[in-house]
Amino acid sequence: MVERVLVGVRIATMTGGGYGLIEHGVIALRDGVIAHVGQAIPDDFAGVTPEDMGGRLVTPALIDCHTHLVFGGNRALEFEMRLNGASYEEVARAGGGIVSTVRDTRAADETALVEGALARLDALIAEGVGVVEVKSGYGLDLDTELRMLRAARTLGVRRNVAVRTSFLGAHAVPAEYKDRPDAYLDEVCIPTLKAAHAEGLVDAVDGFCEGIAFDCKQIARVFDVAKELGLPVKLHAEQLSHLGGMALAAEYGALSADHVEYANDEDARALAAAGTVAVLLPGAFYTLRETQVPPVQAFRNHGVAMALATDCNPGSSPLASLLLTLNMGCTLFRLTPEEALAGVTCHAARALGLTDRGEIAPGYRADLAVWDVETPGELAYRIGFNPLYARIIGGEG
């Protein structure tokens, strides 16, 4: 039996709908699980030597619930071209956009995909992240989609972090199926989903519901297969336009609807009724220089849980800092620091269907982050500054 007692801590438990602050706190851990949270050492831990954290803040370990960490190549040249005045068409003609990432990802073996992703993952871990979601979607063929998912699973073996995988075969229509999206779904996406599930590589099924990707009826076909396989669903919805993706996500009881800039009050009501989390992605909003902000007040009014994530990807959000995401969520979307921290802890856990992470409470996994700050709001306040003191995962660290 492994037991630890942390004393001299200010605890942001993230329970009860707010910070849930406990001053002069004590956290007792047993075999990787939180056994006690309070202000006194429990009797059954009296023989354990306390570890004094010096008044530091403890939060749940952070959770990045929407990433595309596994991919080949990068799109820095495309970024530079755009800033030098190139149009979207000119970038596309030069081989830019998702087509270039698909090409580079298909050309990369599993080792290369893992090594590239580890660098990005390490940046997140250094900021106190204990859980990360990783999507496929840059292969768009059976072999590469499976290779991406295997690489994602390997990340959780190579690092002390939990990795949740989402199958995103319905991300885009590959060049070889141009103007034939339904044929792609029938011949590649759905068979690959079934193969990935058979191999134990899928925790959830995602899709991109937009004019540049797939419509609601097409996504529904993929979701129907996910339902048959017993897999939960998530959805990229209402990022660039309003096509009804939020309503579709709610209809299928999705874990989350992500991006959601063009959602409206009716969508917020539907998400609330379905218990679906709205995942806000300010990195993409910033990188694409968008102006349509998510309907945060509508989500508040209807009690929709809001999560935050990096959306780390090579094109629209080359962001590998969840702490910066906190600041962006506050400055760009006007979240409060309390909402932002909930967005990368308790609400992010809900967005991944995790019931034992994201809060500091008895029975929860002992995934904690210890910070050199005085108040929780400092985590969203600072820019380009990492105050992490210690990261404890499963009671270790």
Side-chain angles (χ1 to χ4, degrees), residues 64-82:
D64 196 349
C65 65
H66 181 132
T67 86
H68 304 254
L69 277 184
V70 174
F71 57 83
N74 69 72
R75 280 149 68 181
L77 179 60
E78 172 185 332
F79 172 76
E80 189 169 5
M81 288 178 65
R82 288 201 311 268

Side-chain angles (χ1 to χ4, degrees), residues 41-328:
I41 298 173
D43 291 342
D44 54 338
F45 281 82
V48 179
T49 303
E51 302 172 45
D52 190 350
M53 295 290 107
R56 292 181 173 87
L57 177 75
V58 178
T59 71
L62 306 188
I63 298 171
D64 196 349
C65 65
H66 181 132
T67 86
H68 304 254
L69 277 184
V70 174
F71 57 83
N74 69 72
R75 280 149 68 181
L77 179 60
E78 172 185 332
F79 172 76
E80 189 169 5
M81 288 178 65
R82 288 201 311 268
L83 290 175
N84 277 298
S87 67
Y88 179 85
E89 183 180 356
E90 289 168 332
V91 170
R93 278 204 307 266
I98 192 173
V99 173
S100 68
T101 300
V102 171
R103 181 183 63 244
D104 291 340
T105 304
R106 287 178 176 180
D109 62 19
E110 187 173 331
T111 298
L113 291 176
V114 169
E115 292 302 321
L118 280 175
R120 296 179 280 274
L121 178 60
D122 285 341
L124 295 171
I125 289 172
E127 292 187 345
V129 170
V131 180
V132 62
E133 183 259 16
V134 180
K135 304 179 191 296
S136 69
Y138 289 127
L140 309 182
D141 62 24
L142 187 144
D143 288 344
T144 314
E145 289 290 305
L146 294 181
R147 189 159 66 249
M148 289 184 70
L149 291 167
R150 292 185 195 117
R153 287 284 197 235
T154 300
L155 297 179
V157 175
R158 295 278 298 274
R159 295 293 187 270
N160 188 16
V161 65
V163 175
R164 304 292 288 181
T165 55
S166 296
F167 175 78
L168 184 56
H171 190 196
V173 180
E176 59 268 29
Y177 280 89
K178 184 181 179 182
D179 300 323
R180 296 188 298 136
D182 288 290
Y184 166 72
L185 294 179
D186 288 332
E187 297 171 17
V188 178
C189 180
I190 291 173
T192 302
L193 168 56
K194 292 179 178 178
H197 175 257
E199 199 173 320
L201 296 173
V202 185
D203 296 315
V205 175
D206 203 342
F208 189 21
C209 186
E210 272 294 347
I212 60 173
F214 299 93
D215 62 30
C216 288
K217 289 183 179 179
Q218 290 163 337
I219 294 293
R221 293 176 54 208
V222 178
F223 281 4
D224 284 340
V225 176
K227 188 175 180 180
E228 291 171 7
L229 297 174
L231 294 169
V233 299
K234 303 164 69 67
L235 187 63
H236 292 58
E238 326 296 24
Q239 179 187 6
L240 307 173
S241 61
H242 190 279
L243 295 184
M246 297 280 278
L248 179 70
E251 178 185 343
Y252 279 85
L255 291 174
S256 70
D258 302 34
H259 286 290
V260 303
E261 281 91 334
Y262 282 83
N264 57 32
D265 190 77
E266 184 177 345
D267 294 325
R269 192 185 304 272
L271 291 192
T276 298
V277 177
V279 179
L280 311 184
L281 304 171
F285 177 90
Y286 168 84
T287 301
L288 297 177
R289 302 171 73 181
E290 295 290 344
T291 57
Q292 178 78 25
V293 298
V296 167
Q297 191 57 52
F299 293 149
R300 290 174 180 143
N301 292 344
H302 294 291
V304 177
M306 292 180 285
L308 278 171
T310 63
D311 190 19
C312 181
N313 73 68
S316 64
S317 186
L319 172 64
S321 170
L322 201 52
L323 290 178
L324 180 55
T325 302
L326 287 175
N327 181 272
M328 285 179 159

Side-chain angles (χ1 to χ4, degrees), residues 2 4 29 31-33 160 365-368 390-397:
V2 179
R4 298 179 68 178
L29 314 177
D31 293 336
V33 175
N160 188 16
R365 182 176 157 89
D367 287 2
L368 308 170
R391 176 177 169 274
I392 297 171
I393 302 297
E396 300 178 358

